[in-house]
């Protein structure tokens, strides 16, 4: 089996200050990572040489309310060991119930590494077969390539 590194959607950073929303150009930034209100976005975390994630928390960007998603993470990610490093891949295939809003993830690994995801927007209904976000009964928005996960 070959293993390829691909741009798979929601990025994770080792510093919350690296989120696009924390950058001075944010207000001119035209793209958001978008997720349907019944799914979490695709992502991949490089956990380094130590296996395991001890905390995985969904944080509301506006209210800073935290929701523990560790059980979800453990049940819905694939752990892969590649050249001595562990990778956790989330394909976004499991239904969840999340109110519309802006969110990000906080993750803490057993080896002491910490990550924050980019902010993402939970909204509406994504019409998967057409790759559109349904905004209203007659208004759609094309989803960009950063919202997709490619598997070879």
């Amino acid at each position: 089996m070959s293993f390829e590194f691909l741009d798979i959607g929601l990025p994770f950073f080792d510093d919350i200050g690296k989120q696009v929303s924390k950058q001075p150009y944010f207000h001119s930034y035209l793209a958001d990572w978008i997720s349907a209100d019944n799914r979490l976005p695709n992502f991949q975390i490089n956990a380094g040489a130590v296996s395991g994630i001890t905390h995985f928390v969904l944080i509301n960007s506006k209210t800073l309310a935290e929701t523990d998603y560790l059980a979800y993470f453990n049940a819905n990610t694939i752990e892969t060991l590649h050249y001595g490093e562990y990778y956790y891949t989330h394909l976004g295939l499991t239904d969840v119930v999340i109110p519309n809003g802006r969110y990000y993830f906080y993750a803490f690994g057993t080896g002491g590494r910490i990550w924050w995801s980019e902010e993402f927007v939970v909204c509406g209904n994504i019409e998967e077969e057409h790759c559109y976000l349904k905004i209203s009964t007659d208004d759609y928005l094309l989803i960009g390539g950063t919202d997709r996960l490619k598997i070879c």
Side-chain angles (χ1 to χ4, degrees):
M1 179 173 106
S2 68
F3 187 87
E4 293 186 35
F5 295 93
L6 300 170
D7 180 13
I8 61 167
L10 191 67
F12 277 74
F13 308 107
D14 59 359
D15 181 345
I16 195 170
K18 294 179 180 177
Q19 288 178 335
V20 171
S21 63
K22 307 282 192 284
Q23 304 306 316
Y25 57 80
F26 172 68
H27 295 293
S28 64
Y29 188 72
L30 300 177
D32 280 315
W33 278 267
I34 298 173
S35 183
D37 55 7
N38 68 333
R39 299 291 168 99
L40 292 175
N42 306 318
F43 60 82
Q44 187 171 65
I45 298 175
N46 175 351
V50 181
S51 172
I53 302 293
T54 61
H55 294 81
F56 193 76
V57 179
L58 179 70
I59 301 173
N60 182 305
S61 296
K62 183 176 180 181
T63 67
L64 300 181
E66 298 182 1
T67 306
D68 182 4
Y69 267 80
L70 184 60
Y72 174 91
F73 180 89
N74 289 333
N76 294 287
T77 57
I78 301 164
E79 180 184 76
T80 306
L81 179 61
H82 183 70
Y83 290 108
E85 294 193 345
Y86 290 90
Y87 292 85
Y88 292 92
T89 304
H90 177 261
L91 302 176
L93 302 177
T94 304
D95 283 341
V96 295
V97 177
I98 301 174
N100 290 350
R102 297 185 77 83
Y103 298 90
Y104 62 92
F105 290 113
Y106 165 80
F108 186 83
T110 55
R113 293 182 71 181
I114 298 173
W115 303 271
W116 290 267
S117 77
E118 181 56 73
E119 285 188 328
F120 59 95
V121 178
V122 173
C123 62
N125 177 29
I126 294 178
E127 300 290 320
E128 184 176 357
E129 65 272 10
H130 302 296
C131 295
Y132 284 92
L133 171 68
K134 188 174 183 180
I135 298 172
S136 65
T137 56
D138 57 357
D139 194 11
Y140 293 83
L141 176 67
L142 179 64
I143 298 171
T146 58
D147 302 312
R148 294 195 182 93
L149 171 68
K150 297 178 184 177
I151 301 174
C152 298

